[in-house]
């Protein structure tokens, strides 16, 4: 369990990331990476950039279909590349309260609203907020969410399916990424080894 944040910290520090986009539940891992950077820099000189956590408040922690934190462990997540009808069915199952069509609804604390906000523009979010105040039915709100998510992820899903049908292309992309990363990591690792005294005899 402890190794996960250490490996995550190594991945961040090796490439001297200044800001790391994370959810709130990952902030402590960024803090650990910062501690590692400060500790190493104090002992061996300035080598690492202490990273900052970058959190987008509107999507820092998304609620799941049942209103709890979205997690595969809870089986309450939305698999974005699921077939259209499965995605629609899952969104239709989002837990809502008993307020009826025509009755004003509160966006705050609404899992449906928070998930919509993660995909929508500020203008779209404002429009749904007004629709809540005007008493939109939960069925119509879920349809809006489905359409917004599907519009957003359709091009990505097509790309995903194309890649899954051409695994050699994925391998090429991964190898190119590894080559690019090695160009940065190899000389930096040499610098770090030299700093701590791990030098050739």
């Amino acid at each position: 369990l402890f190794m996960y944040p250490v490996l995550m910290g190594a991945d961040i520090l090796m490439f001297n990331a200044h800001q790391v986009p994370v959810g709130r539940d990952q902030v402590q891992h960024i803090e650990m990476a910062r501690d590692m950077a400060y500790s190493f820099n104090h002992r061996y000189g300035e080598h690492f950039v202490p990273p900052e956590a970058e959190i987008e408040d509107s999507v820092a922690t998304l609620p799941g279909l049942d209103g709890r934190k979205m997690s595969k462990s809870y089986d309450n997540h939305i698999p974005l590349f699921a077939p259209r009808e499965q995605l629609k069915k899952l969104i239709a199952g989002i837990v809502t309260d008993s307020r009826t069509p025509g009755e004003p609804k509160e966006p705050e604390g609404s899992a449906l609203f928070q998930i919509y906000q993660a995909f929508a523009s500020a203008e779209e979010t404002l429009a749904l907020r007004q629709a809540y105040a005007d008493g939109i039915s939960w069925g119509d709100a879920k349809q809006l969410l489905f359409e917004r998510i599907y519009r957003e992820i359709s091009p990505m899903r097509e790309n995903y399916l194309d890649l899954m049908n051409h695994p050699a292309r994925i391998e090429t992309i991964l190898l190119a990424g590894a080559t690019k990363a090695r160009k940065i990591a190899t000389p930096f690792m040499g610098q770090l080894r030299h700093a701590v005294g791990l030098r050739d005899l």
Side-chain angles (χ1 to χ4, degrees), residues 20-40:
V20 185
V22 289
R24 290 201 187 285
D25 58 343
Q26 295 287 311
V27 170
Q28 70 273 23
H29 294 160
I30 306 304
E31 289 301 322
M32 284 185 70
R34 285 177 64 80
D35 289 345
M36 291 177 218
Y38 283 128
S39 179
F40 189 95

Side-chain angles (χ1 to χ4, degrees), residues 162-175:
D162 184 53
L163 287 170
M164 292 305 286
N165 289 325
H166 300 91
R169 197 180 303 162
I170 298 174
E171 184 72 15
T172 301
I173 293 167
L174 291 173
L175 289 171

Side-chain angles (χ1 to χ4, degrees):
L1 184 63
F2 179 71
M3 284 306 294
Y4 173 74
V6 172
L7 292 170
M8 181 176 171
D11 286 340
I12 293 165
L13 296 176
M14 181 53 63
F15 300 96
N16 275 325
H18 289 70
Q19 293 182 309
V20 185
V22 289
R24 290 201 187 285
D25 58 343
Q26 295 287 311
V27 170
Q28 70 273 23
H29 294 160
I30 306 304
E31 289 301 322
M32 284 185 70
R34 285 177 64 80
D35 289 345
M36 291 177 218
Y38 283 128
S39 179
F40 189 95
N41 290 348
H42 177 71
R43 287 178 174 84
Y44 304 110
E46 296 294 318
H47 295 279
F48 292 121
V49 172
E52 299 277 352
E54 179 74 18
I55 303 167
E56 190 174 335
D57 285 332
S58 63
V59 294
T61 304
L62 276 181
L65 302 171
D66 57 3
R68 294 183 295 172
K69 173 192 161 188
M70 188 178 287
S71 169
K72 283 188 177 180
S73 304
Y74 297 152
D75 195 27
N76 67 352
H77 66 291
I78 299 173
L80 294 179
F81 297 144
R84 179 186 171 91
E85 288 310 309
Q86 184 190 352
L87 185 64
K88 191 170 188 175
K89 185 177 178 182
L90 287 168
I91 290 171
I94 291 174
V95 172
T96 52
D97 61 32
S98 59
R99 279 176 280 191
T100 58
E103 193 176 350
K105 296 161 182 68
E106 291 295 325
E108 283 66 33
S110 165
L112 195 156
F113 187 87
Q114 285 180 262
I115 296 168
Y116 184 87
Q117 189 176 32
F119 289 89
S121 66
E123 293 76 17
E124 289 170 325
T125 301
L126 192 61
L128 184 60
R129 184 178 289 277
Q130 184 59 53
Y132 265 53
D134 293 341
I136 188 173
S137 73
W138 287 126
D140 287 347
K142 288 174 179 180
Q143 181 63 27
L144 279 176
L145 175 60
F146 166 71
E147 289 169 1
R148 187 64 191 83
I149 290 180
Y150 198 75
R151 187 166 79 248
E152 186 79 19
I153 59 101
S154 281
M156 294 180 235
R157 185 170 185 272
E158 286 174 21
N159 191 40
Y160 166 78
L161 292 173
D162 184 53
L163 287 170
M164 292 305 286
N165 289 325
H166 300 91
R169 197 180 303 162
I170 298 174
E171 184 72 15
T172 301
I173 293 167
L174 291 173
L175 289 171
T179 300
K180 186 178 178 182
R182 234 176 259 117
K183 283 181 182 175
I184 298 169
T186 302
F188 189 40
M189 183 58 84
Q191 176 187 322
L192 297 174
R193 289 173 64 85
H194 189 271
V196 300
L198 297 172
R199 303 167 192 171
D200 293 338
L201 294 174

